[in-house]
Amino acid sequence: MIIVANQENIIVKNVYICTPKNNINITFKHVEMNTESIVEIKNLVKKYGTKQVLHGINLDIQPGQIIGYIGPNGAGKSTTVKILCGLIDEFEGDVSVFGKDLRMNQLEIKKRIGYIPENAALYESLTPLEFMQFVGQMRGIQNDIILSKAEALMNIFEMKSNLNQRIATFSKGMRQKVMICSALLHNPELIFMDEPLSGLDANSVIMVKEMLTHLAREGKTVFYSSHLMDVVEKISDRIILIDQGSVIADGSFEDLSRLSNDENLEKLFTRLTGNTNHGEKAEAFINAFEK
Amino acid sequence: MIMIRFLLSLFRPFRWFIERTGADYNQFIHILELKLTMDNRRARGSRNKSTTPDNSIAKQSFAQIVMGFVFAMMGIIIKSEFTYFYMMHTILMFMMAMLIISEFTTILFDTSENTIIQPLPIKGSTQSLARNAHVFLYLALIAFNISVASIIIAAIKFGILSGLIFIVSILLNVLFTLFLANMLYLGIMHIVSGEQLKNVMMYFQIVIAILFMAGYQLGFNLIDKSQISNMTIGVSWYTFLIPPAIFSGLIEALSTGIFDLKHLLFIAEALIIPVVAMFITTRYLTPVFNRKLLNLEQGDRATKVKTSSGKTSLYFNIISKLFVKNNDEKAAFQLAWRMSGYERLFKQSFFPSLAYVLIMVAVQFFKRDINLSEIASSSRYLILLYSFILVSLTLSSSLMLGNNRQIDWLFKILPINSPADYFKGFIKAVFVRFFVPFYVLLSIGIVAFWGMRVIPDIIVAWLVIYMSTLLIFYMQQPIFPFSQAKASSQGGKNFVKVMGLIITAFLLGGLHYLVSKWNIYGLAALMVIYSTAIVLINKKLAYRLINWEKVDDFNTYN
């Protein structure tokens, strides 16, 4: 690793080092301690027609961690998650989950992962219980276990009384809770979350954060994709920053901030993505509506 | 865009009037423009967002003009002017009523722009006027499209003056229909509210659709066409209460110059009623309507929340064991079973189609002199049974309909080896839940009439219908159920499918007839053959026809 005395330069080097051409990952000590990777991504490239969304992502994820996968809108976060969950089959590069090639072992991998999408559709006219019954049965869980688990999970979110009401009448946050519960029904080892806190109220956000920490303590791995920096910096063991389809920084929050001297992730992120003229933009914004 | 500009320019001469009602003319025009633009881009049945239609108004107009041409052709033989216009106005009102009922969510209950317009500084009266103007434009456009042909024919047959007055009377008719529609919906909304209203509307639509088909089938099949040309409609006291008669009276009076008491009454009614109706609509009905509409939007959560226990009925438990073997399929079966009970679009599409087949068959049976004993000794029940093969097509397409767009991710994320298991569960569930009970009832009726001897025939026909339902469903686009907005506008393709099915029904029915005449064990042989085919279709063909590669082609998982 190249360490340059000048702080500004470090960032520049980091950005440079991680471009796909070089394929060198910055890894930090605590990450290197684990040996077996649960997710391994090599040179992941995804194109939609001629538009390239992912420009060679390289990642190694160890079990029992909360990974914060963050980046601005349109950086390729959701695309990465969808590929890992098997929603998108067409991609270039090698991806293995649980040490197995994703392309060849989709079914087995799907059995052991949970996916909480952002704003995804649910069958509106079903009740949460009916919805979870379907998901659970499809995953081969027995009916009475589904029932007790659904009750327990919904109870945590204080939604037990809504268990038999139609989802159509729920608010955004309530739907998100149903989504979280049904994704955790089969006790997955690896959980992918795409903006899981969107629409949740303050209490539920705290609850989910607590839940994530608990899950990680139990040895589960959480891959958490978000653009909300403050949540990520508080709960993640490791933070991966991506921008325009490339990883631009990777490490624990302490590592990242030690290198850059930024007091929070938002500032660090701003500098890495090269958007430092927020002040000017804000001013332009004010000018625009004062006309 | 040209179309919209043209429609908007029609309001320019009425600027003084619009401003007199207290509305802001510029805002009014812009709201109207927004609504029309949205109408124009509304994808009717198209699933791909990429192919946003930009001219759906023009396309629909063309279809309506063609439809109007057909109606005008039926009227061309009518000699009496009064009767001709009476018929045309009746058809017009009927068509407008049909449209208002079938598309009430997009016409009268359109609240899509409420979230945009509500926070803006727009007066209630401007918004109400824009809403009414929009509905009026919509109906007037349809009315004129349907009438283009009949106006031309009227001008040729009864003179240009008649044609011109006909145009004016159409406008008056639209105003009056708009008033009636408002009254109707206010009445219904007064009785029920919220979710319940949508259910009532659904059954209302189903009944209307069935009545329309029945009326069409029976009406046009039973009437002796030679009588129409000399048909005249006499004027009694109640004629003055029938809207189409009033408008025809107006045309007749003005074009022929007869101004007796009878005609003066028609003229007075035709001019006064729509104007009064419009006044009542804008002044009294629309504000109430808007208020109710807001309640409807927000009231869903406030009113009683629907619950269901997640438990299953005894019928379900028995049936699911009979029809479904593997576990993945069973979950899909249960899902479709439950959903089909809730989904309005599904019921709205399937029930009328079932009734339609029934009516078609009934018409065939009772067309000429009914000789019950002759029918009882015939094999005509085979026609009855095999007609329901059409259900296989409508059931398959209805199953796709619903408002759960982008639900496909759910099925992709689950660890399922072959998506065929899903689709097998889906179609079996709706077939068993909705068709089988109907078929059992039908069979009881048939057995009561023709006797126990026809039971083997009933079983064979059932096997054929089940087989064809499975085949058609497995061969159609593998889209997940209840996720498509409206039946794809593949009218031509659908027609070919229907014709193909009818031919198939004839062939298989014919085979059935011949085999049953040929040997007493013939039907048993057919049962064995069809059962084997069904097993093969489910065990082998389904997996070959539906695989993830094919499913991925039709779903995006976003």
Side-chain angles (χ1 to χ4, degrees), chain B residues 176-195:
Chain B
F176 182 68
T177 310
L178 182 62
F179 164 75
L180 282 185
N182 264 295
M183 289 292 280
L184 175 75
Y185 282 91
L186 272 178
I188 294 172
M189 280 202 277
H190 193 72
I191 304 164
V192 289
S193 63
E195 275 298 297

Side-chain angles (χ1 to χ4, degrees), chain A residues 59-99:
Chain A
L59 281 179
D60 247 322
I61 291 164
Q62 273 66 41
Q65 287 193 328
I66 300 179
I67 310 292
Y69 194 62
I70 70 169
N73 296 334
K77 301 186 298 287
S78 291
T79 305
T80 316
V81 171
K82 279 180 184 161
I83 288 172
L84 288 170
C85 292
L87 285 179
I88 298 174
D89 293 332
E90 281 168 20
F91 56 85
E92 293 161 36
D94 294 317
V95 180
S96 64
V97 183
F98 305 118

Side-chain angles (χ1 to χ4, degrees), chain B residues 3 57-73 141-150 152:
Chain B
M3 190 95 177
I57 294 182
K59 280 175 202 155
Q60 267 172 281
S61 297
F62 181 74
Q64 285 155 1
I65 290 170
V66 173
M67 198 157 68
F69 186 76
V70 177
F71 289 132
M73 282 297 113
L141 189 66
I142 292 162
F144 276 109
N145 288 336
I146 292 173
S147 307
V148 167
S150 51
I152 295 169

Side-chain angles (χ1 to χ4, degrees), chain B residues 67-332:
Chain B
M67 198 157 68
F69 186 76
V70 177
F71 289 132
M73 282 297 113
M74 296 191 300
I76 207 162
I77 43 171
I78 297 173
K79 285 173 191 155
S80 148
E81 183 174 355
F82 183 78
T83 312
Y84 175 81
F85 288 121
Y86 180 86
M87 255 197 81
M88 289 307 144
H89 269 293
T90 309
I91 289 172
L92 208 56
M93 283 190 82
F94 198 73
M95 291 308 295
M96 281 192 283
M98 283 294 297
L99 259 154
I100 291 171
I101 289 161
S102 68
E103 302 208 355
F104 75 106
T105 44
T106 50
I107 302 176
L108 277 181
F109 287 14
D110 183 17
T111 52
S112 55
E113 82 288 351
N114 257 3
T115 44
I116 307 166
I117 288 172
Q118 218 63 269
L120 295 173
I122 293 167
K123 270 205 283 182
S125 56
T126 310
Q127 202 192 336
S128 301
L129 195 69
R131 183 190 295 280
N132 275 323
H134 174 235
V135 181
F136 176 76
L137 260 186
Y138 193 94
L139 291 180
L141 189 66
I142 292 162
F144 276 109
N145 288 336
I146 292 173
S147 307
V148 167
S150 51
I151 291 170
I152 295 169
I153 289 171
I156 296 167
K157 275 176 77 126
F158 310 112
I160 305 245
L161 187 62
S162 287
L164 290 175
I165 302 163
F166 184 36
I167 294 175
V168 177
S169 72
I170 289 170
L171 271 180
L172 294 171
N173 191 345
V174 171
L175 280 178
F176 182 68
T177 310
L178 182 62
F179 164 75
L180 282 185
N182 264 295
M183 289 292 280
L184 175 75
Y185 282 91
L186 272 178
I188 294 172
M189 280 202 277
H190 193 72
I191 304 164
V192 289
S193 63
E195 275 298 297
Q196 237 185 330
L197 173 78
K198 291 181 190 156
N199 280 326
V200 170
M201 292 311 304
M202 177 192 78
Y203 287 112
F204 194 64
Q205 285 173 342
I206 291 173
V207 170
I208 292 284
I210 292 170
L211 281 180
F212 178 70
M213 289 180 305
Y216 177 81
Q217 281 297 330
L218 295 171
F220 287 95
N221 273 307
L222 298 182
I223 287 175
D224 183 358
K225 299 201 174 48
S226 63
Q227 282 171 1
I228 296 180
S229 58
N230 294 318
M231 189 168 72
T232 44
I233 288 160
V235 178
S236 316
W237 63 269
Y238 57 80
T239 316
F240 294 97
L241 299 175
I242 303 169
I246 297 170
F247 296 120
S248 330
L250 170 84
I251 304 168
E252 194 184 46
L254 295 182
S255 64
T256 54
I258 307 168
F259 294 108
D260 54 3
L261 184 65
K262 196 175 80 178
H263 283 90
L264 282 175
L265 194 56
F266 276 134
I267 294 170
E269 275 189 304
L271 296 178
I272 293 166
I273 291 175
V275 173
V276 171
M278 185 176 77
F279 179 74
I280 296 173
T281 309
T282 49
R283 194 62 182 273
Y284 300 105
L285 298 185
T286 312
V288 183
F289 199 84
N290 285 346
R291 209 165 45 239
K292 292 244 178 195
L293 216 54
L294 270 177
N295 288 343
L296 181 68
E297 245 190 2
Q298 289 153 2
D300 265 16
R301 248 170 250 170
T303 50
K304 194 180 65 183
V305 181
K306 269 208 174 166
T307 59
S308 75
S309 64
K311 293 202 179 82
T312 50
S313 66
L314 183 69
Y315 176 59
F316 171 84
N317 290 334
I318 297 168
I319 285 287
S320 65
K321 281 201 183 71
L322 259 171
F323 279 85
V324 191
K325 292 289 179 281
N326 87 45
N327 244 340
D328 295 343
E329 204 181 312
K330 195 175 168 187

Side-chain angles (χ1 to χ4, degrees), chain B residues 282-558:
Chain B
T282 49
R283 194 62 182 273
Y284 300 105
L285 298 185
T286 312
V288 183
F289 199 84
N290 285 346
R291 209 165 45 239
K292 292 244 178 195
L293 216 54
L294 270 177
N295 288 343
L296 181 68
E297 245 190 2
Q298 289 153 2
D300 265 16
R301 248 170 250 170
T303 50
K304 194 180 65 183
V305 181
K306 269 208 174 166
T307 59
S308 75
S309 64
K311 293 202 179 82
T312 50
S313 66
L314 183 69
Y315 176 59
F316 171 84
N317 290 334
I318 297 168
I319 285 287
S320 65
K321 281 201 183 71
L322 259 171
F323 279 85
V324 191
K325 292 289 179 281
N326 87 45
N327 244 340
D328 295 343
E329 204 181 312
K330 195 175 168 187
F333 182 88
Q334 188 170 7
L335 179 83
W337 181 285
R338 280 176 170 157
M339 295 283 303
S340 57
Y342 305 141
E343 290 293 316
R344 288 190 202 96
L345 273 177
F346 167 76
K347 290 190 200 167
Q348 240 169 46
S349 159
F350 179 63
F351 288 158
S353 71
L354 197 59
Y356 186 59
V357 181
L358 202 61
I359 290 163
M360 294 251 287
V361 178
V363 168
Q364 292 308 314
F365 262 74
F366 301 115
K367 216 170 182 176
R368 286 165 214 100
D369 334 311
I370 308 160
N371 187 342
L372 284 180
S373 59
E374 190 194 307
I375 291 175
S377 61
S378 74
S379 294
R380 275 209 222 169
Y381 56 87
L382 280 181
I383 300 173
L384 195 57
L385 292 172
Y386 274 82
S387 301
F388 285 94
I389 206 168
L390 278 173
V391 164
S392 53
L393 199 61
T394 55
L395 198 58
S396 298
S397 58
S398 305
L399 184 55
M400 302 291 109
L401 301 182
N403 293 320
N404 303 285
R405 257 167 274 177
Q406 301 181 338
I407 193 71
D408 42 9
W409 72 274
L410 172 68
F411 300 96
K412 181 74 173 171
I413 198 71
L414 294 168
I416 297 303
N417 203 3
S418 170
D421 286 333
Y422 287 131
F423 288 91
K424 280 165 69 180
F426 297 149
I427 190 66
K428 285 179 186 176
V430 286
F431 185 82
V432 173
R433 181 166 183 180
F434 291 100
F435 182 67
V436 169
F438 171 82
Y439 194 80
V440 169
L441 282 180
L442 183 78
S443 305
I444 292 171
I446 290 174
V447 169
F449 195 79
W450 275 279
M452 301 292 263
R453 69 181 171 93
V454 300
I455 288 177
D457 298 284
I458 288 172
I459 294 170
V460 172
W462 185 87
L463 287 170
V464 168
I465 296 169
Y466 185 47
M467 182 175 75
S468 120
T469 304
L470 293 175
L471 265 180
I472 285 174
F473 186 69
Y474 297 155
M475 284 194 294
Q476 80 177 15
Q477 299 179 351
I479 291 162
F480 290 100
F482 314 114
S483 68
Q484 214 173 14
K486 255 200 172 167
S488 316
S489 49
Q490 33 173 277
K493 223 171 162 184
N494 215 28
F495 180 75
V496 173
K497 279 187 191 166
V498 171
M499 290 321 286
L501 254 186
I502 290 174
I503 292 167
T504 312
F506 265 110
L507 290 177
L508 292 179
L511 179 75
H512 183 140
Y513 180 76
L514 290 177
V515 166
S516 64
K517 287 278 169 263
W518 165 64
N519 193 311
I520 22 166
Y521 298 108
L523 286 182
L526 277 184
M527 276 182 220
V528 173
I529 292 167
Y530 290 140
S531 306
T532 317
I534 287 167
V535 171
L536 283 177
I537 289 168
N538 271 330
K539 289 248 153 89
K540 294 267 183 280
L541 194 64
Y543 294 92
R544 200 170 296 171
L545 288 172
I546 306 168
N547 49 42
W548 276 120
E549 271 165 23
K550 198 174 166 200
V551 172
D552 290 347
D553 281 348
F554 290 98
N555 297 281
T556 49
Y557 314 115
N558 278 320

